[in-house]
Amino acid sequence: MNAPNIHGQRRTFSASSAVDAQNAILTDIKTEDGTTWADMGRVLGKSDDRAAAYANTAAAIDLPTFLFGCKEWGGRFADPLLGLVGGRWADANAVCTGDDQAALTLATLLPAIIAIEADNLTEAHELTPHEVLIRRVNTLTACWLDMIAAEKGQAPR
């Protein structure tokens, strides 16, 4: 394993850029939804003047307020803020199929399996060196089958 995989890419941002993003998000949501600051405050668990201050001052929202915003508006609220650190919003039941690069995983495993099956006999000791990839393919295909079952209105396996 190399350092970039352990430490990742460092993203820098200033506190003021985070507050500016917060201000813009809250103002945009209020405008787009045609709500009042009292409405915004109810969602955020704050008073109307506090909600307005979060959109118009250098006051950073606290964690519970952030979570209330996420609960109500999801990625619409969270993505611009999470994007500052390279993150994104995903619902808890979302399937992010691109995260495991399924095609690459399958393509990496396929030549080894073709070689193993060349003698028409597959033995465990031949598969063992490829266990990690086999397990990854198993996880991916199980996910795909669950997605297909959900689309057909069936219970996942």
Side-chain angles (χ1 to χ4, degrees):
M1 194 176 291
N2 58 27
N5 290 332
I6 295 170
H7 302 291
Q9 297 291 333
R10 294 198 185 266
R11 291 183 182 256
T12 59
F13 64 94
S14 66
S16 64
S17 67
V19 171
D20 289 346
Q22 160 199 298
N23 293 351
I25 295 162
L26 290 171
T27 301
D28 289 349
I29 289 173
K30 180 186 175 297
T31 302
E32 291 167 7
D33 292 0
T35 61
T36 65
W37 286 120
D39 297 329
M40 298 291 286
R42 272 191 293 282
V43 168
L44 298 172
K46 302 292 181 181
S47 65
D48 58 343
D49 61 332
R50 189 75 239 152
Y54 285 143
N56 300 312
T57 68
I61 59 174
D62 54 48
L63 182 58
T65 303
F66 175 76
L67 294 175
F68 282 128
C70 290
K71 180 180 176 188
E72 180 71 18
W73 299 300
R76 182 177 170 207
F77 174 75
D79 278 348
L81 295 169
L82 295 173
L84 294 171
V85 294
R88 64 180 181 198
W89 176 264
D91 291 322
N93 61 351
V95 177
C96 301
T97 56
D99 291 347
D100 283 324
Q101 299 178 349
L104 183 58
T105 300
L106 291 168
T108 303
L109 181 60
L110 189 57
I113 298 304
I114 289 170
I116 290 167
E117 292 181 340
D119 62 358
N120 293 322
L121 179 65
T122 303
E123 298 177 283
H125 70 85
E126 296 174 301
L127 297 170
T128 302
H130 310 287
E131 182 179 1
V132 171
L133 281 174
I134 293 169
R135 290 188 182 282
R136 192 173 302 149
V137 166
N138 182 59
T139 299
L140 289 165
T141 56
C143 177
W144 294 338
L145 290 171
D146 289 347
M147 291 168 66
I148 292 167
E151 187 166 293
K152 290 181 176 179
Q154 301 168 348
R157 54 173 187 91

